[in-house]
């Protein structure tokens, strides 16, 4: 199993551009999550999903959108990128309460 | 609103020392508490999960305790090694329906040879 994979690893965006961060898991987990981690801080939940077709907001959803059309994939969409969205983004999936994290996407908005 | 705090933010110890990392949370209505390890530039790895009804969990040289009434958890690392150098994060889960986690800021541990 590859576990949780995220692409790209690193991206630079200009202010106002849009992009999609990809997340996929091959463990057939129903629950999936998107977090962001700012330097020296813990993780904050952006969006989560408890199954295909079901998504809900976390602590910091503004400026982001998600979709969950399959169990495997949970992409995160950034519309109109802003410098405040410079961060490291982690995707996770969970089984029986344990969360498994991807390696992260480092995003720089200039 | 649930808040999770970890003190200290950074810790440096000589190899072989036993150490304790602290985590506190403001709302005792939790479902479970989890400890994670994060290596530089990497994702998080789950270390220990304590259910709200449990007092402690052990895995190898790691022991995590939970005192829900006082809003505290500790992660005890025995006989520390340089390979234990990493950032340790605690997180609380309030609901089994969603599994949403609220994280502390982490404690960065350096174990010197």
């Amino acid at each position: 199993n590859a576990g949780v994979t995220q692409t790209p690893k690193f991206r630079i965006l200009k202010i106002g551009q849009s992009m999609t961060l990809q997340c996929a898991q091959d463990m057939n987990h129903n629950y999936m999550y998107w977090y962001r981690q700012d330097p020296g801080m813990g993780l904050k939940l952006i969006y989560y999903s408890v199954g295909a077709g079901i998504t809900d907001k976390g602590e910091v959803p503004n400026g982001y959108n998600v979709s969950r059309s399959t169990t495997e994939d949970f992409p995160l969409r950034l519309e109109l990128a802003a410098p405040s969205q410079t961060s490291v983004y982690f995707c996770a999936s969970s089984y029986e309460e344990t969360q498994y994290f991807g390696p992260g996407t480092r995003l720089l908005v200039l | 609103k649930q808040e999770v705090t970890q003190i200290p933010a950074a810790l440096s110890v000589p190899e072989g020392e036993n150490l304790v990392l602290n985590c506190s949370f403001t709302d005792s209505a939790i479902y479970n508490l989890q400890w994670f390890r994060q290596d530089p530039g990497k994702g998080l790895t789950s270390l220990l999960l304590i259910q709200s009804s449990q007092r402690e969990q052990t895995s190898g040289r790691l022991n995590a305790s939970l005192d829900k009434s006082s809003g505290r958890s500790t992660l005890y690392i025995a006989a520390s090694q340089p390979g234990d150098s990493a950032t340790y994060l605690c997180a609380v889960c309030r609901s089994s329906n969603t599994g949403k986690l609220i994280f502390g800021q982490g404690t960065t541990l350096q174990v010197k040879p």
Side-chain angles (χ1 to χ4, degrees), chain B residues 8-101:
Chain B
L11 184 62
S12 181
V13 301
E15 181 177 4
E17 196 161 292
N18 302 325
L19 60 102
V20 173
L21 306 181
N22 296 296
C23 173
S24 61
F25 47 95
T26 54
D27 186 344
S28 62
I30 65 170
Y31 180 68
N32 65 49
L33 183 142
Q34 303 183 34
W35 283 93
F36 293 86
R37 170 184 172 136
Q38 184 177 28
D39 293 293
K42 306 286 187 185
L44 280 67
T45 301
S46 178
L47 295 174
L48 290 164
L49 185 154
I50 312 177
Q51 300 290 355
S52 62
S53 58
Q54 296 176 317
R55 296 284 292 182
E56 64 179 311
Q57 279 285 348
T58 298
S59 175
R61 294 182 294 108
L62 305 180
N63 176 278
S65 68
L66 174 64
D67 184 341
K68 222 172 57 154
S69 60
S70 67
R72 292 182 184 177
S73 175
T74 61
L75 179 67
Y76 174 82
I77 303 177
S80 59
Q81 303 170 357
D84 294 329
S85 298
T87 296
Y88 292 81
L89 296 107
C90 72
V92 298
C93 176
R94 294 195 64 187
S95 169
S96 62
N97 291 334
T98 63
K100 294 193 295 182
L101 294 176

Side-chain angles (χ1 to χ4, degrees), chain A residues 13-19 78-83 85 109-110:
Chain A
L13 275 185
K14 292 182 180 175
I15 294 172
Q17 286 186 322
S18 300
M19 77 165 292
L78 276 71
E79 306 281 1
L80 299 175
Q85 293 177 306
V109 182
L110 298 174

Side-chain angles (χ1 to χ4, degrees), chain A residues 31 33 35 37 41-43 45 48 50 90 97-99 101-103, chain B residues 31-32 34 36 38 42-44 51 97-101 103-105:
Chain A
Y31 289 49
Y33 309 86
Y35 296 92
Q37 185 177 34
M41 304 294 288
L43 281 68
L45 182 65
Y48 68 101
V50 299
F90 289 101
E97 300 158 10
T98 298
Q99 292 197 13
F101 283 77
Chain B
Y31 180 68
N32 65 49
Q34 303 183 34
F36 293 86
Q38 184 177 28
K42 306 286 187 185
L44 280 67
Q51 300 290 355
N97 291 334
T98 63
K100 294 193 295 182
L101 294 176
F103 281 85
Q105 321 90 300

